[in-house]
């Protein structure tokens, strides 16, 4: 039987959460009540890279798997971006992952930055900004970035069900997990240089479209992140730290030459650990077992970034700190810290009480997952006060998200608090906190993971349990059939 954990939504209040944190030996500050502006630390503006971010709430990039085959936004995409604008958060970190080239799309419905999509992406940004203006009367302090990506190992550009992996190296565990044969070609240095040009071109376009910054995505197992662990790769992009970060450095050099006024940010998986799988001894056709790590025998030293390579269930932030030093040297001070990957260790990346269909029952109280990311971020923030750091993995805190968010910002553990899944169920949570100091409990994300299960099964993402728009959709019926195994 999978272990069960206390449900946050059933807790009687902050004292019970604090007691649970103490029981788990987790250190996490949590205020007694939600503070409205101006008393809330989350209402404070922040200056970074010559930009003024109007408050400390950030909307994380949240993809909807709802673009057209040619990479254009649809009405679903526009609706989501408008809701980001109405949230009250003043930092919009990237909107969602946008591929810099077709073969790097994570799914056939991922947005693409190309000549034929540029005007539509400008409209998407404008829709977000005007929704913000309609709701708040102005767009002062609103900063909007665009997340640029190449999905590398996790590319599925043509068919939802067909992985077309573009790999930086053969991985001792992930190749087998995702069916990549030993003779599958590895991306050449020449190909990577071509991709660098694509990033630079995309960034230049983003600048022309009015985005305040681009995020050069280095997280979640996608190409930029995979290159950071290319310890065994030959050539210019593998081996030494210098080579493993060459992709980033060359993209940055190109952007500085072509769009010198464009700000750059980086979203980074600060640590990564072994892949997890449902315990086969506790799984059957109808039930996912609790997550257990895939045995690392024969895979040591294990190739992951921010991990003790000889003990790959332990975090090691030495190289992560070196990476943040490099960002400083590159004059990049917008940093968003995440962890792991949704494809092989989702409990690290997006702690949830109910797993997605390709996941496993939680191997730990998901609070442990939240605090693991928050503490790693705290450690890095203490070492790099010069970076404006966005923290991740707050949605599972549910009713207590604002009280924790304001406490960690006050204590200087992080500069901005990012919300991911919560923005799908309850987009204006930041505004409710800042204006009223109150939450609408009916809209709190309970981490059912339908927003991940849906796209894993070819459907659009969205909050199927709580957002009426998705709740009433035809796709919800299909999602329910999938969940029943039909
Ligand atoms: C449906 C869905 C879509 C996501 N899309 C992106 C994305 O496009 N880019 C990205 O960097 N992270 C993406 N993420 C990860 C989130 O930004 C965030 O890191 C994660 O959900 C954990 O934060 P939370 O606890 O607030 O949900 C996505 C997550 C979900 C559930």
């Amino acid at each position: 039987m999978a272990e069960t954990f206390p449900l946050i939504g059933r807790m009687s209040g902050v004292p019970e959460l604090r007691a649970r944190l103490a029981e788990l030996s987790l250190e996490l500050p949590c205020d007694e009540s939600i503070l409205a502006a101006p008393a809330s630390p989350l209402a404070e503006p922040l200056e970074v890279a010559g930009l003024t971010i109007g408050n400390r709430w950030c909307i994380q990039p949240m993809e909807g798997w709802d673009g057209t085959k040619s990479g254009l936004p649809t009405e679903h995409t526009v609706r989501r971006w408008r809701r980001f604008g109405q949230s009250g958060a003043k930092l919009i970190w990237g909107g969602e992952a946008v591929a810099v080239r077709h073969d790097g799309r994570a799914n056939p419905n991922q947005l693409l930055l190309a000549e034929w999509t540029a005007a539509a992406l400008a409209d998407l940004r404008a829709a977000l900004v005007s929704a913000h203006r309609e709701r708040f009367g102005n767009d002062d302090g609103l900063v909007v970035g665009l997340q640029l990506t190449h999905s590398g190992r996790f590319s599925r550009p043509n068919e939802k069900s067909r992985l077309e992996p573009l790999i930086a190296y053969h991985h001792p565990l992930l190749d087998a997990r995702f069916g990549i044969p030993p003779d599958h070609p590895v991306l050449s240095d020449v190909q990577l240089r071509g991709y660098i040009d694509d990033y630079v071109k995309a960034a230049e376009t983003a600048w022309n479209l009015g985005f305040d910054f681009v995020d050069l995505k280095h997280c979640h197992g996608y190409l930029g992140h995979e290159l950071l662990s290319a310890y065994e790769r030959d050539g210019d992009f593998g081996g030494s730290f210098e080579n493993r970060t060459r992709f980033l450095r060359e993209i940055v050099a190109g952007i500085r030459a072509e769009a010198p006024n464009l700000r750059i940010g980086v979203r980074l998986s600060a640590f990564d650990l072994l892949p997890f799988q449902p315990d086969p001894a506790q799984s059957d056709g109808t039930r996912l077992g609790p997550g257990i790590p895939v045995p690392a025998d024969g895979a040591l030293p294990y190739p992951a970034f921010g991990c003790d390579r000889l003990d790959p269930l332990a975090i090691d932030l030495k190289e992560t700190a070196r990476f943040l030093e490099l960002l400083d040297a590159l004059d990049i001070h917008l940093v968003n810290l995440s962890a792991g990957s949704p494809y092989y260790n989702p409990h690290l990346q997006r702690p949830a009480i109910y797993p997605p269909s390709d996941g496993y029952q939680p191997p730990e109280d998901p609070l442990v997952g939240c605090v693991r990311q928050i503490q790693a971020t705290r450690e890095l923030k203490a070492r790099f006060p010069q970076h404006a750091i966005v923290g991740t993995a707050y949605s599972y805190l549910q009713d207590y998200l604002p009280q924790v968010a304001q406490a960690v910002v006050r204590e200087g553990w992080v500069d901005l608090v990012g919300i991911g899944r919560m923005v799908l169920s309850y987009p204006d949570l930041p505004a409710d906190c800042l204006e009223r100091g109150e939450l609408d409990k009916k809209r709190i994300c309970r981490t059912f993971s339908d927003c991940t299960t849906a796209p894993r099964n070819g459907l659009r993402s969205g909050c199927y349990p709580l957002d009426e728009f998705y709740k009433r959709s035809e796709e919800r019926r299909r999602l329910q059939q999938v969940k029943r195994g039909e």
Side-chain angles (χ1 to χ4, degrees):
M1 271 288 283
E3 199 182 339
T4 54
F5 303 103
L7 295 177
I8 304 272
R10 301 241 174 100
M11 289 185 179
S12 54
V14 171
E16 192 176 340
L17 176 71
R18 288 192 185 135
R20 177 62 183 158
L21 290 166
E23 197 182 346
L24 294 166
S25 305
L26 297 174
E27 189 191 356
L28 187 71
C30 180
D31 284 0
E32 208 60 57
S33 57
I34 304 174
L35 296 171
S40 172
L42 299 165
E44 278 284 301
L46 182 73
E47 302 282 331
V48 53
L51 296 168
T52 302
I53 302 169
N55 62 36
R56 305 304 186 93
W57 285 106
C58 168
I59 301 303
Q60 299 284 21
M62 291 297 286
E63 210 184 324
W65 287 258
D66 53 16
T68 66
K69 284 224 160 195
S70 59
L72 290 161
T74 59
E75 59 181 298
H76 287 77
T77 327
V78 176
R79 178 180 185 271
R80 186 171 53 261
W81 282 55
R82 279 186 57 81
R83 285 157 65 95
F84 295 165
Q86 290 157 349
S87 68
K90 287 291 189 181
L91 179 60
I92 310 295
W93 187 284
E96 65 188 271
V98 176
V100 299
R101 45 184 287 138
H102 175 72
D103 65 8
R105 293 167 80 190
N107 59 78
N109 300 99
Q110 187 168 58
L111 299 184
L112 177 67
L113 191 39
E115 237 168 77
W116 61 91
T117 63
L121 289 173
D123 290 348
L124 195 55
R125 180 193 155 279
L128 183 157
V129 174
S130 54
H132 187 87
R133 274 203 219 109
E134 285 157 25
R135 172 70 174 77
F136 302 101
N138 61 62
D139 58 13
D140 301 346
L142 180 67
V143 172
V144 185
L146 190 69
Q147 183 176 60
L148 301 182
T149 193
H150 188 296
S151 302
R153 177 177 291 274
F154 297 105
S155 300
R156 285 174 200 265
N158 297 308
E159 277 175 45
K160 289 174 181 170
S161 56
R162 193 171 81 229
L163 197 62
E164 297 180 47
L166 291 160
I167 60 174
Y169 62 91
H170 279 287
H171 190 286
L173 300 181
L174 296 180
D175 279 15
R177 170 95 169 234
F178 294 99
I180 300 174
D183 59 352
H184 189 83
V186 168
L187 284 167
S188 69
D189 286 4
V190 172
Q191 279 174 299
L192 288 176
R193 291 216 150 83
Y195 291 5
I196 289 170
D197 293 342
D198 294 319
Y199 269 88
V200 174
K201 210 163 120 218
E204 203 186 340
T205 309
W207 169 247
N208 291 331
L209 301 182
F211 286 94
D212 296 302
F213 70 98
V214 288
D215 165 24
L216 304 177
K217 185 173 187 179
H218 276 68
C219 57
H220 306 164
Y222 299 113
L223 184 61
H225 184 214
E226 173 152 302
L227 281 163
L228 296 181
S229 60
Y231 302 96
E232 302 301 332
R233 183 186 162 96
D234 294 328
D236 290 352
F237 294 90
S240 66
F241 179 81
E242 198 200 359
N243 281 353
R244 285 179 283 120
T245 55
R246 187 179 303 282
F247 192 65
L248 170 74
R249 287 183 293 105
E250 295 197 359
I251 295 170
V252 172
I255 296 176
R256 300 288 191 224
E258 302 301 328
N261 295 319
L262 176 64
R263 273 84 170 189
I264 299 174
V266 173
R267 189 162 205 220
L268 173 72
S269 280
F271 57 86
D272 194 7
L273 306 175
L274 284 177
F276 274 59
Q277 63 187 10
D279 181 354
Q282 298 186 64
S283 309
D284 57 36
T286 58
R287 196 170 47 120
L288 287 172
I292 55 167
V294 172
D297 319 339
L300 301 181
Y302 183 70
F305 188 75
C307 150
D308 179 338
R309 298 190 58 204
L310 297 177
D311 177 12
L313 286 174
I315 296 172
D316 181 343
L317 295 177
K318 267 199 280 326
E319 280 213 329
T320 314
R322 219 172 144 191
F323 188 85
L324 295 197
E325 242 166 57
L326 170 66
L327 293 184
D328 192 27
L330 293 170
D331 199 22
I332 294 173
H333 295 108
L334 270 166
V335 180
N336 186 330
L337 297 179
S338 181
S341 166
Y343 297 108
Y344 53 81
N345 47 28
H347 74 290
L348 296 181
Q349 200 257 345
R350 49 183 78 156
I353 196 82
Y354 306 102
S357 59
D358 65 339
Y360 39 78
Q361 296 295 337
E364 60 189 11
D365 188 318
L367 278 173
V368 176
C370 299
V371 177
R372 186 183 286 114
Q373 285 204 45
I374 292 171
Q375 285 289 353
T377 301
R378 174 195 188 187
E379 190 177 329
L380 292 164
K381 175 65 199 170
R383 291 186 60 180
F384 296 94
Q386 65 274 47
H387 289 316
I389 299 188
V390 179
T392 298
Y394 285 81
S395 288
Y396 183 71
L397 296 168
Q398 303 171 48
D399 312 63
Y400 308 100
L401 190 167
Q403 296 91 316
V404 169
Q406 64 200 35
V408 290
V409 168
R410 182 188 305 107
E411 308 230 340
W413 290 18
V414 74
D415 296 293
L416 296 117
V417 168
I419 54 171
R421 289 162 295 176
M422 189 67 83
V423 80
L424 300 183
S425 67
Y426 187 178
D428 43 349
L429 174 141
D432 277 357
C433 292
L434 294 172
E435 292 171 351
R436 302 192 288 122
E438 260 177 38
L439 290 188
D440 175 356
K441 301 263 184 196
K442 294 190 298 298
R443 294 199 288 153
I444 294 175
C445 166
R446 300 296 177 194
T447 68
F448 285 108
S449 292
D450 284 2
C451 55
T452 304
T453 294
R456 294 292 186 263
N457 293 280
L459 305 171
R460 291 186 189 98
S461 182
C463 183
Y464 288 87
L466 295 179
D467 179 350
E468 286 300 323
F469 183 81
Y470 289 94
K471 210 170 167 174
R472 282 188 273 106
S473 69
E474 188 47 44
E475 290 196 291
R476 177 158 189 247
R477 220 163 303 155
R478 180 73 206 114
L479 177 66
Q480 285 170 327
Q481 287 170 340
V482 166
K483 287 174 72 170
R484 288 195 298 264
E486 292 168 23

